[in-house]
Amino acid sequence: FLQKYQKSLRFLAYIFGSSTTESNIMVDNGAVPVSDETFDLSDKLRQRLRETNAERERTQAKIVISTEQLQRMYKHVPKRPRETIQQLDARISKLEHERTTTSISLSSEKKILREMDQIKKIKKEVGAHKEHESAIQGKKSEIAALKDNLRTVTAAVAELEAALSKVELAKKLGCTTADLKTRVVDCPEGKIGHVIGRNGAALKQLEERCVVHVDIDKVGSKIHLHGSDEALDLAVVEVENITLAIEEDVELPSLLVTHLMAKRSAKLNKVQEDHPDVHIDFSRNGNTAQLRGRPEKVVVAKNDLLSFDVKKVTRKLEGRETAFVVGKGGATVNRLVDDHDVVINISNTDSNSSEVEIIGFEGNINAALSEIEDILYKNEEIEEILLVQPMQRNKLLENSGATVKVIQAEINNMIGSNGIGVLLVFEKRPKEDMHSKDLTKLAIKTSRMSMKEAKKLVQKHIDAFDSKVRQVDVEPSLIPAIIGKGGANINALRKECKGADVDVDKDTGVIKIFSNDDETKEVIVKAIEKIVAENQTTFVEVEQNVIGAIFGEVGKEMRNSIIDGMGVNIGIDPSDSKINLRGTVEKITEAAKVLEEFIADNFTSEFDVSPDDEALLFHGGSDSLLNRIEADHDVKANFRKQRHVLAIRGREENVNTAVEAVSKFFNGGDGFGVEKLKVPEGVLGIVIGKGGGNISKLEKDYEGINIHVHRNSNYLSIRGPVEKVNECRVDIITLMATSRVTELVPLSPGQHEILAQPDIMKKITNDINVNVTLSDASLKIRGVSTDVADTKAILMEHLTGEYEASIILEPSQFSKVSAAVRDPSHFERIRKTTNASIRMDSTESAIIISGKRSSVKKAKTFLTGVLDFLLPSQFAKVKVPKPLVKSMNDPAAIAKISADSGSTVSFDRDLHCFQVQSSKPDSVFQATKMLKARLSECEKLVVVVRLDASDLWLLPKIIGKGGETVKELQEESGCKFDISKEELLVAISGESEDAVSTAKASLDKIIEQARKECVFVNIPDSAMSAFIGKGGTNIRQLAEDHDVDIERLRKEPSCIRIQGDEASVEGAHVAVIAWLNDWEASHVGKTVELEEAFIPAILGKQGSTVSTIQRATRCKIDIDRRGLTLTVRGGDESNREEALNKVNEIIDEEKKKILERGAEILENKKKKNVSNESTEAPDSDSNGHSQPEFASRPVGLTIGESKVIKPNNSKNPTKKKDKITGDNKPSNKSSTAAQNLFNLLVSDPRQNQPTEVLTKGSEDGTCDSSTSSATGVSAITEINEDNVNDIHLGGHYKSSSGFSVRV
């Protein structure tokens, strides 16, 4: 090392140059003495290092520049010719020789010369290329020289840095470079980390304690120590202590670890002082302390640690208690930790509480906890109440509570910094109690130790205020006069007496005066006494309707005499039943007499006038009703438009007779009649006539009547003698019902395209007696008003997808219904059930229903039930079978019923019923009776034949080709045949019962013959392939043998149809049955009847369930959907029985599900009913008993109980069949309601409307088609529309001629 160091010094001498000689830098045994002059070697080395680094950077810069130049030279290297100079010279010589020695033409010579010139140019290019190559080589040599120089300078920098590091290390360690030594200590690989310590902490401590520099060679497990000999000896010992030490992890109690690890832990400091040679490390996670040192010393330190007994105590802190324990900036808790040598942790348990945890030795914990309890007790915030007068409260709170703030500041200054401060809070009062004169509470909130002084000081201020208040008692009625208009009097007193405050209690008449000056208080008292003397009061009782006259233009002269002439103030009592007079006693007595006389002359009564009747008051000009009332009864009549009332004023007896006359005019009575009629908008012009001609004619024809058309509505009123009014009413109703109106519906191009499609207009006008004309931009509808409105509604449904209908009521009825349905839940139930929109139209006095037509029909059904409930005896319905609609709905006849009964009668096409309504129950009864009588007459002339869905094929037979058959029937019988394919019915109507019976017999004959010429036979699925034969040979042979057509139905694959003449069909039928009997005899099976609703469950998805049963039982299962039978074939008897049992299990499970759903629905409805009953407002009946405002169950949501007539679809009555009922036995366990629900769920899905059930005829529910006339239909039990869920399954009846009729 010394040799290397001497070499470095010689290098330094070289670096320092001529300025440094061997006289001032000599190498003598490694020492570096200096000259007499002060010489800092490190500074010189740094300076030279900077210069050398600068030289290195310059050299590097030159290398970079030269390299860039070389790169540019490479980029611009000229193109190198292929030939050398010698080759080019040889070519020139050859050409020159050729030119000079050979006889050539001038052109050839020129060519040779041009070629020689070209070769010379190439020769120049070769020279330029050589020059560029030489330049590149020169630049490369330059760069190589610079790199050599850079390596030399870099080596010099490294030598300088090593020398400088050596000098600075010696300087750092406080020794000369000659004293600087190095020792290498071997260290086990696992101990190197201990020598270094966490983040180098142990290594740093070693260097600081021993004054050495340590280098760690982790790869060679060597520790290099640099320093003086003494320092190195000490460092070696330290290193050996580390390398020879053992480590032991000691598991300590968690509380002990927490206590020892706390900041400024005295116990830990004591342990470390007692065992300086043992390193204690708590840095690891958990409760483990690592002890490192010589084994014997570690044992002692371990025992000392384990001897400590640390405990923990917790206490919950609420609210501000946490702040008291912590103290400002943590001062209190830090003091507790220092004073008692404990650990205190405070953690929040929620937003308003926390928990303090004290850890330490038991005695210290008790002392700390005791001090905490003392702190909390002293600082506990308490509250005490003082009662304060309202005036004083206002004084304290004025100027944003400035006085309160001053008192608080005074108390806080007195308490000092030891308390938590004081807070003065007045109780909060509701806005309506802000001016209450009750004593108000002042809460004093402060710490327990400060409360006594705070309360004493606040009471001192209150007492001081009370001593300056004077009280005056007056009558409460005089308070307004003392206050003055807008507070003028009281404000004037306050302004005149500055610094004073006057508080007035309007309820008790107590006036409190505050002032610091007694003279000021006396001035205010005298002013109040003067006001009291001038404001004595009395009152005069008055009817509320006279108040307007007293304070209006009529009473102006009277008021002036009282106010100006007598100096008395007049005003209205808050109860609106008294007129208050205020003044001196003499003047108010005189004014009271004047006022009483005026009241007697101006008695007033008011009569309500509907907005529609207002114009009648002024009709007739000078001979108007108002003028006649004033002239005839010596009264003044004034119409108040805003309130819609007629005010009549005068002497009481005159006013009463005038009111009777007005009431008679508007409401009728004593032989004077009043009738109001709702006129459809399109008919209104017809009723009025051109220029009012029709109205004038009616008034002329019926002498003494007056007809008034209301401006803002389509109502018309008739007034006059009762008999004349009734006669006129009949004429007007007949006119409205029979008048044909025209309505144009504008159409867009898209809508026109829709209506132009075939059969669309026919569907829209089906069964409606209107004329419809379609043009490009509009659709014209002409007919009676009701038919036009119905047609337009159906039209708009086709165009917009929304159907709108209405139920029109009388105004009085509409008001009652509107009041009843203010609770939206009543209509909301119907909306949810039907998905229809329902709204009330006050202008038309109608309930508007819109949505899909099916939804509107359901909603109408519910609403009619609601109206029947809300308007008992004022609303009724008469159900009309659809085939009777045309004959029943004769406008003139219905108008006559309406006029004769005095009710409004309208036909509802959606519900197929006549709706009757009137505010008079007798009129409703008479109209209903007339309608039923007319219905009975119409029923005698109509017969309805309904066909089963399976008999759809009969309709073409009845109609015939091109309608020939039905036309022939009509011509022969003189009756009309209406055929509905949608409803599978034929309606026969005629002018007499005999004609209808004849037509019915002709129809039966056609149907019977059709049935003989077309027979359907069910073939089991398993037999079908054998019946058809290979390639259809069998079925074709059978058809040829009997000269018939036999085909398999596509929609019913298990059914075949045989068609031909009667004899052939019968023969083919017998042959098929014979073949089928033979097949069944060879294929033993068991057949049972089956409910249609269970077929999907038995089949399963894509036939999976029935296939599973067939595989499991090795049987074949045939299901006849037409005959509703199930046959099991194949296998032995036990296999077939097993298959039937599995089918029964499926049916039992389905029944169970249906009954459970039914029970659940009933339970939900029950709960809803209970809920509705509990929330409905009670009313009282005539006996005083509480009655619900609405029905105890939601209207239209009950499940009725009715007998169900099951269809008889047996195709082979002679064959015995079992009935599948789950256990093959009739079940009577379920309730009637559940059975009805079950029947609903399993009924024919095509029956989406309740069907009628015959109540006349044979007891078993069957009837002959010959007796299925309109009379039978009329005998149908009407379904109560209020209970639309009272479901009756349609019955199937077998006629004597063999076809089914469903009624």
Side-chain angles (χ1 to χ4, degrees):
F1 176 79
L2 289 176
Q3 290 175 354
K4 185 177 180 182
Y5 186 58
Q6 290 170 0
K7 181 179 179 181
S8 299
L9 291 178
R10 286 196 297 273
F11 176 70
L12 290 175
Y14 163 75
I15 290 174
F16 292 139
S18 58
S19 62
T20 306
T21 63
E22 290 192 10
S23 60
N24 52 25
I25 298 179
M26 312 176 45
V27 179
D28 183 10
N29 297 326
V32 186
V34 296
S35 63
D36 296 334
E37 297 179 4
T38 303
F39 179 73
D40 190 341
L41 181 58
S42 61
D43 286 345
K44 279 292 185 179
L45 288 172
R46 286 194 192 90
Q47 180 181 353
R48 189 59 182 166
L49 180 60
R50 285 194 295 272
E51 293 171 355
T52 307
N53 276 328
E55 183 179 353
R56 180 171 63 178
E57 291 173 359
R58 287 193 297 272
T59 303
Q60 288 174 335
K62 288 178 182 179
I63 291 173
V64 171
I65 293 171
S66 297
T67 302
E68 291 175 353
Q69 291 173 350
L70 179 61
Q71 294 298 326
R72 286 195 293 272
M73 292 172 72
Y74 277 130
K75 289 181 181 179
H76 297 90
V77 174
K79 185 177 180 182
R80 180 179 180 181
R82 297 180 180 179
E83 297 173 303
T84 62
I85 294 293
Q86 291 79 10
Q87 291 172 336
L88 293 173
D89 287 341
R91 287 177 63 189
I92 291 173
S93 298
K94 184 179 179 181
L95 290 171
E96 180 64 25
H97 181 269
E98 182 182 355
R99 185 180 69 83
T100 56
T101 60
T102 308
S103 175
I104 57 176
S105 63
L106 181 60
S107 60
S108 297
E109 184 178 6
K110 287 181 178 180
K111 181 178 180 182
I112 291 172
L113 290 173
R114 283 197 299 273
E115 187 175 354
M116 290 173 63
D117 290 339
Q118 187 66 30
I119 293 171
K120 288 177 182 179
K121 288 181 181 179
I122 295 173
K123 188 176 178 181
K124 288 180 181 179
E125 290 177 0
V126 172
H129 182 271
K130 282 187 176 182
E131 289 178 2
H132 196 80
E133 285 290 334
S134 300
I136 288 174
Q137 294 300 324
K139 184 57 70 176
K140 286 182 177 180
S141 300
E142 180 184 343
I143 291 172
L146 287 171
K147 287 183 177 178
D148 291 340
N149 186 31
L150 179 61
R151 283 191 287 272
T152 303
V153 174
T154 301
V157 168
E159 291 289 345
L160 281 169
E161 287 177 344
L164 180 60
S165 176
K166 189 70 175 180
V167 172
E168 288 185 342
L169 180 58
K171 187 176 181 181
K172 176 183 175 183
L173 298 177
C175 63
T176 64
T177 54
D179 294 334
L180 194 61
K181 304 289 179 65
T182 298
R183 290 187 192 177
V184 180
V185 179
D186 292 329
C187 180
E189 186 175 354
K191 297 292 185 178
I192 287 186
H194 298 308
V195 176
I196 296 173
R198 176 174 290 181
N199 298 324
L203 186 63
K204 187 176 180 181
Q205 291 177 4
L206 177 62
E207 289 179 334
E208 290 176 353
R209 287 200 303 270
C210 301
V211 194
V212 294
H213 178 70
V214 182
D215 290 326
I216 305 294
D217 180 6
K218 293 183 179 180
V219 177
S221 299
K222 305 286 186 182
I223 299 175
H224 298 269
L225 304 174
H226 307 287
S228 62
D229 288 332
E230 294 180 358
L232 291 174
D233 293 339
L234 183 59
V236 169
V237 173
E238 288 282 345
V239 171
E240 289 178 349
N241 282 338
I242 295 173
T243 57
L244 297 177
I246 66 169
E247 293 181 354
E248 183 176 353
D249 291 337
V250 180
E251 189 74 22
L252 299 176
S254 59
L255 294 178
L256 176 60
V257 173
T258 302
H259 182 67
L260 295 177
M261 289 294 291
K263 188 177 179 182
R264 299 185 300 277
S265 173
K267 289 293 182 182
L268 182 58
N269 294 337
K270 182 71 168 56
V271 171
Q272 290 175 338
E273 289 174 5
D274 293 344
H275 307 282
D277 296 329
V278 177
H279 176 71
I280 303 175
D281 183 10
F282 287 96
S283 60
R284 296 186 180 182
N285 294 332
N287 298 325
T288 302
Q290 187 182 72
L291 278 61
R292 187 171 63 250
R294 296 295 178 93
E296 62 279 3
K297 294 182 178 180
V298 168
V299 171
V300 177
K302 174 183 174 182
N303 292 334
D304 286 352
L305 283 174
L306 294 174
S307 65
F308 295 144
D309 184 17
V310 177
K311 298 185 180 298
K312 179 179 76 173
V313 173
T314 60
R315 186 194 190 283
K316 192 170 183 180
L317 302 177
E318 300 288 347
R320 297 180 63 185
E321 290 181 346
T322 304
F324 300 145
V325 174
V326 174
K328 188 174 182 181
T332 303
V333 73
N334 289 336
R335 179 178 59 77
L336 290 170
V337 169
D338 293 339
D339 292 350
H340 303 287
D341 190 22
V342 292
V343 176
I344 298 179
N345 296 321
I346 299 176
S347 58
N348 293 331
T349 56
D350 53 48
S351 60
N352 196 40
S353 62
S354 60
E355 188 175 75
V356 60
E357 181 183 81
I358 307 172
I359 302 172
F361 297 101
E362 186 173 6
N364 297 352
I365 289 176
N366 293 337
L369 186 61
S370 176
E371 187 170 349
I372 288 174
E373 294 293 347
D374 187 51
I375 292 170
L376 295 178
Y377 180 78
K378 289 180 178 179
N379 287 279
E380 180 184 3
E381 184 178 76
I382 60 174
E383 176 182 313
E384 292 200 17
I385 302 296
L386 292 179
L387 296 178
V388 179
Q389 295 291 340
M391 176 183 283
Q392 184 168 3
R393 178 183 185 274
N394 296 336
K395 275 292 182 182
L396 291 172
L397 293 177
E398 66 182 1
N399 297 327
S400 301
T403 306
V404 172
K405 293 175 183 177
V406 170
I407 297 173
Q408 286 183 164
E410 185 178 348
I411 298 172
N412 288 332
N413 290 335
M414 178 186 68
I415 295 173
S417 60
N418 295 328
I420 61 172
V422 68
L423 181 65
L424 303 180
V425 181
F426 282 100
E427 66 173 336
K428 290 185 179 180
R429 289 185 170 181
K431 191 173 182 180
E432 58 272 15
D433 295 339
M434 289 301 292
H435 300 291
S436 173
K437 300 306 175 182
D438 294 336
L439 292 177
T440 186
K441 295 178 182 179
L442 173 61
I444 306 173
K445 298 181 180 180
T446 186
S447 62
R448 188 184 301 278
M449 61 183 177
S450 305
M451 177 56 75
K452 184 177 180 180
E453 294 297 328
K455 186 176 179 182
K456 180 179 178 181
L457 188 57
V458 172
Q459 188 63 52
K460 178 181 177 182
H461 282 275
I462 293 174
D463 294 342
F465 181 88
D466 289 341
S467 64
K468 300 175 182 178
V469 176
R470 183 170 176 181
Q471 179 172 316
V472 178
D473 295 330
V474 299
E475 287 293 329
S477 60
L478 296 174
I479 293 297
I482 295 172
I483 295 175
K485 188 175 182 180
N489 293 345
I490 205 75
N491 290 334
L493 288 174
R494 289 170 178 159
K495 187 175 181 180
E496 179 183 352
C497 306
K498 292 184 178 180
D501 190 15
V502 180
D503 184 71
V504 179
D505 188 339
K506 296 179 181 180
D507 298 327
T508 62
V510 174
I511 303 173
K512 292 185 178 181
I513 306 163
F514 169 81
S515 177
N516 293 321
D517 182 14
D518 292 338
E519 293 181 2
T520 301
K521 286 186 280 190
E522 189 63 31
V523 169
I524 295 173
V525 169
K526 289 182 179 179
I528 290 172
E529 290 174 348
K530 181 182 178 183
I531 293 172
V532 169
E534 295 174 352
N535 285 276
Q536 295 299 308
T537 61
T538 189
F539 64 87
V540 176
E541 292 187 353
V542 65
E543 294 292 335
Q544 190 172 1
N545 53 18
V546 184
I547 293 177
I550 295 173
F551 293 94
E553 189 65 26
V554 176
K556 184 176 181 180
E557 182 178 351
M558 178 270 298
R559 293 198 310 276
N560 290 339
S561 65
I562 291 176
I563 297 171
D564 299 334
M566 305 177 191
V568 175
N569 291 327
I570 183 171
I572 305 173
D573 188 77
S575 64
D576 286 343
S577 61
K578 299 175 183 178
I579 302 297
N580 293 329
L581 301 173
R582 181 178 293 108
T584 61
V585 175
E586 298 80 7
K587 295 295 182 182
I588 61 177
T589 302
E590 183 181 355
K593 292 180 180 179
V594 173
L595 180 59
E596 288 170 352
E597 184 179 352
F598 177 84
I599 292 172
D601 293 335
N602 288 275
F603 176 79
T604 302
S605 180
E606 293 181 345
F607 183 84
D608 293 330
V609 181
S610 69
D612 291 336
D613 292 334
E614 291 176 4
L616 293 173
L617 294 172
F618 310 98
H619 182 69
S622 60
D623 193 34
S624 67
L625 177 64
L626 282 181
N627 291 338
R628 292 202 309 270
I629 290 297
E630 289 183 344
D632 295 346
H633 302 283
D634 189 23
V635 294
K636 293 292 182 181
N638 179 30
F639 179 66
R640 296 171 183 173
K641 191 172 182 63
Q642 290 183 343
R643 295 171 50 211
H644 302 293
V645 295
L646 176 65
I648 303 174
R649 177 170 50 82
R651 302 297 294 185
E652 184 174 3
E653 57 274 12
N654 297 344
V655 170
N656 290 336
T657 57
V659 169
E660 289 178 3
V662 173
S663 177
K664 178 180 177 182
F665 178 82
F666 282 110
N667 302 324
D670 195 18
F672 188 84
V674 177
E675 289 285 349
K676 285 188 178 181
L677 299 177
K678 175 77 173 180
V679 184
E681 187 172 356
V683 184
L684 185 60
I686 297 174
V687 174
I688 296 173
K690 188 175 181 179
N694 285 351
I695 297 292
S696 300
K697 184 177 181 304
L698 289 169
E699 289 179 341
K700 183 179 180 181
D701 292 345
Y702 301 101
E703 186 178 354
I705 70 163
N706 174 268
I707 301 175
H708 173 68
V709 180
H710 301 278
R711 294 180 181 178
N712 299 324
S713 65
N714 294 337
Y715 275 93
L716 178 146
S717 60
I718 311 170
R719 289 179 171 82
V722 173
E723 292 183 0
K724 297 292 184 181
V725 168
N726 290 335
E727 292 173 1
C728 181
R729 179 177 179 276
V730 172
D731 278 0
I732 294 175
I733 290 176
T734 305
L735 179 63
M736 289 191 298
T738 58
S739 296
R740 297 180 67 82
V741 299
T742 302
E743 183 164 352
L744 286 176
V745 181
L747 301 175
S748 65
Q751 293 173 334
H752 179 273
E753 184 178 352
I754 294 172
L755 297 179
Q757 295 177 7
D759 297 333
I760 289 294
M761 298 307 300
K762 186 177 180 181
K763 289 181 180 178
I764 293 175
T765 60
N766 185 30
D767 295 332
I768 305 179
N769 187 23
V770 293
N771 295 324
V772 179
T773 305
L774 178 63
S775 62
D776 292 339
S778 64
L779 180 75
K780 182 169 74 173
I781 310 171
R782 181 165 179 79
V784 296
S785 59
T786 54
D787 292 343
V788 170
D790 291 343
T791 304
K792 184 179 179 182
I794 299 171
L795 170 68
M796 298 313 295
E797 180 193 20
H798 276 77
L799 297 180
T800 64
E802 183 170 289
Y803 181 75
E804 184 174 282
S806 62
I807 300 176
I808 301 175
L809 305 173
E810 293 184 5
S812 60
Q813 294 174 329
F814 183 82
S815 300
K816 186 172 182 179
V817 173
S818 299
V821 299
R822 283 175 184 167
D823 181 359
S825 64
H826 299 296
F827 277 175
E828 191 63 29
R829 289 200 299 266
I830 301 177
R831 290 190 188 100
K832 289 181 178 179
T833 304
T834 64
N835 293 324
S837 174
I838 305 172
R839 60 185 175 86
M840 304 290 288
D841 187 349
S842 58
T843 58
E844 296 293 332
S845 297
I847 304 173
I848 309 297
I849 312 109
S850 59
K852 291 184 178 179
R853 192 173 186 184
S854 58
S855 300
V856 171
K857 288 181 180 179
K858 293 178 183 177
K860 264 190 175 182
T861 302
F862 286 121
L863 285 171
T864 53
V866 172
L867 294 176
D868 195 22
F869 176 78
L870 295 175
L871 307 171
S873 303
Q874 298 182 31
F875 188 88
K877 298 179 305 216
V878 177
K879 189 78 174 177
V880 180
K882 190 173 182 180
L884 302 181
V885 168
K886 285 188 177 180
S887 55
M888 275 292 294
N889 192 22
D890 179 60
I894 299 305
K896 188 174 186 311
I897 292 174
S898 177
D900 292 345
S901 65
S903 300
T904 300
V905 181
S906 60
F907 180 68
D908 191 321
R909 293 185 187 276
D910 297 327
L911 304 182
H912 291 293
C913 69
F914 282 95
Q915 293 184 352
V916 183
Q917 60 189 51
S918 173
S919 56
K920 301 174 182 177
D922 290 341
S923 298
V924 174
F925 176 77
Q926 289 298 327
T928 304
K929 185 177 179 181
M930 293 178 186
L931 284 170
K932 289 182 178 179
R934 177 171 172 77
L935 181 60
S936 298
E937 292 298 321
C938 292
E939 285 173 344
K940 296 176 182 179
L941 304 178
V942 177
V943 169
V944 178
V945 178
R946 296 181 185 266
L947 304 178
D948 190 49
S950 61
D951 294 326
L952 179 63
W953 63 276
L954 285 171
L955 289 180
K957 301 285 186 181
I958 297 171
I959 296 172
K961 187 175 182 180
E964 290 181 358
T965 305
V966 73
K967 286 180 182 177
E968 186 178 341
L969 286 170
Q970 291 182 142
E971 289 174 358
E972 290 178 355
S973 64
C975 296
K976 183 177 180 181
F977 284 71
D978 290 319
I979 300 174
S980 174
K981 293 182 180 180
E982 292 78 9
E983 298 186 10
L984 295 178
L985 63 82
V986 180
I988 308 171
S989 57
E991 295 181 355
S992 66
E993 293 185 48
D994 292 340
V996 171
S997 297
T998 302
K1000 172 67 168 51
S1002 299
L1003 176 64
D1004 289 345
K1005 185 176 179 182
I1006 291 173
I1007 292 174
E1008 187 173 356
Q1009 185 62 34
R1011 289 189 177 279
K1012 291 178 180 179
E1013 295 174 353
C1014 181
V1015 175
F1016 296 88
V1017 181
N1018 287 313
I1019 306 293
D1021 290 342
S1022 55
M1024 184 61 74
S1025 58
F1027 176 78
I1028 294 173
K1030 187 175 182 181
T1033 55
N1034 290 351
I1035 195 171
R1036 281 199 302 271
Q1037 184 63 45
L1038 186 63
E1040 291 173 0
D1041 292 346
H1042 296 86
D1043 192 20
V1044 293
D1045 292 329
I1046 303 176
E1047 61 177 332
R1048 184 181 184 184
L1049 301 184
R1050 292 184 179 180
K1051 293 185 178 179
E1052 297 183 50
S1054 62
C1055 183
I1056 64 167
R1057 179 170 60 193
I1058 307 172
Q1059 294 186 91
D1061 60 67
E1062 181 179 347
S1064 299
V1065 168
E1066 184 176 358
H1069 186 204
V1070 171
V1072 171
I1073 295 299
W1075 183 93
L1076 189 57
N1077 290 335
D1078 292 341
W1079 183 88
E1080 289 181 343
S1082 60
H1083 294 78
V1084 179
K1086 188 171 184 180
T1087 302
V1088 293
E1089 289 185 358
L1090 186 68
E1091 292 285 351
E1092 185 177 2
F1094 298 137
I1095 292 178
I1098 296 170
L1099 291 175
K1101 190 174 182 181
Q1102 297 180 350
S1104 60
T1105 303
V1106 73
S1107 298
T1108 301
I1109 297 174
Q1110 290 179 149
R1111 286 194 300 270
T1113 61
R1114 298 179 182 178
C1115 293
K1116 177 66 176 176
I1117 298 177
D1118 292 323
I1119 296 177
D1120 181 359
R1121 288 180 177 270
R1122 179 181 286 267
L1124 294 180
T1125 61
L1126 181 146
T1127 304
V1128 182
R1129 292 186 174 87
D1132 54 23
E1133 182 67 24
S1134 62
N1135 294 136
R1136 292 192 290 274
E1137 194 66 34
E1138 182 185 357
L1140 283 176
N1141 289 337
K1142 289 184 179 292
V1143 171
N1144 283 330
E1145 289 175 3
I1146 294 172
I1147 293 174
D1148 289 342
E1149 185 65 27
E1150 285 299 303
K1151 282 186 176 181
K1152 183 179 179 183
K1153 290 179 181 178
I1154 292 171
L1155 293 177
E1156 286 177 352
R1157 288 197 296 269
E1160 183 179 350
I1161 292 171
L1162 292 173
E1163 184 63 25
N1164 290 338
K1165 292 184 183 302
K1166 235 180 245 184
K1167 290 179 181 178
K1168 287 183 181 179
N1169 293 340
V1170 172
S1171 175
N1172 293 336
E1173 290 172 0
S1174 64
T1175 56
E1176 289 166 350
D1179 200 355
S1180 296
D1181 61 13
S1182 58
N1183 296 325
H1185 298 122
S1186 175
Q1187 296 290 339
E1189 184 180 0
F1190 295 98
S1192 61
R1193 61 176 185 243
V1195 176
L1197 293 180
T1198 59
I1199 296 180
E1201 299 178 359
S1202 61
K1203 295 183 180 179
V1204 178
I1205 303 175
K1206 298 183 180 178
N1208 180 9
N1209 289 310
S1210 175
K1211 296 297 178 180
N1212 193 355
T1214 61
K1215 191 171 186 178
K1216 186 176 181 181
K1217 301 175 184 177
D1218 294 334
K1219 181 72 174 181
I1220 294 184
T1221 60
D1223 54 359
N1224 291 330
K1225 294 180 181 179
S1227 175
N1228 296 320
K1229 295 180 180 179
S1230 58
S1231 67
T1232 308
Q1235 286 286 2
N1236 286 331
L1237 179 64
F1238 167 77
N1239 292 326
L1240 166 64
L1241 295 175
V1242 303
S1243 62
D1244 187 348
R1246 295 186 296 271
Q1247 297 175 358
N1248 54 10
Q1249 295 294 331
T1251 57
E1252 299 103 346
V1253 178
L1254 286 177
T1255 57
K1256 289 186 178 181
S1258 60
E1259 293 182 358
D1260 59 356
T1262 61
C1263 66
D1264 192 289
S1265 62
S1266 61
T1267 63
S1268 180
S1269 65
T1271 305
V1273 175
S1274 69
I1276 292 170
T1277 301
E1278 286 190 12
I1279 299 174
N1280 184 358
E1281 299 292 346
D1282 300 348
N1283 299 320
V1284 295
N1285 285 339
D1286 291 354
I1287 301 299
H1288 307 270
L1289 294 184
H1292 294 257
Y1293 304 95
K1294 204 74 169 180
S1295 72
S1296 60
S1297 57
F1299 69 92
S1300 298
V1301 179
R1302 176 185 292 171
V1303 182

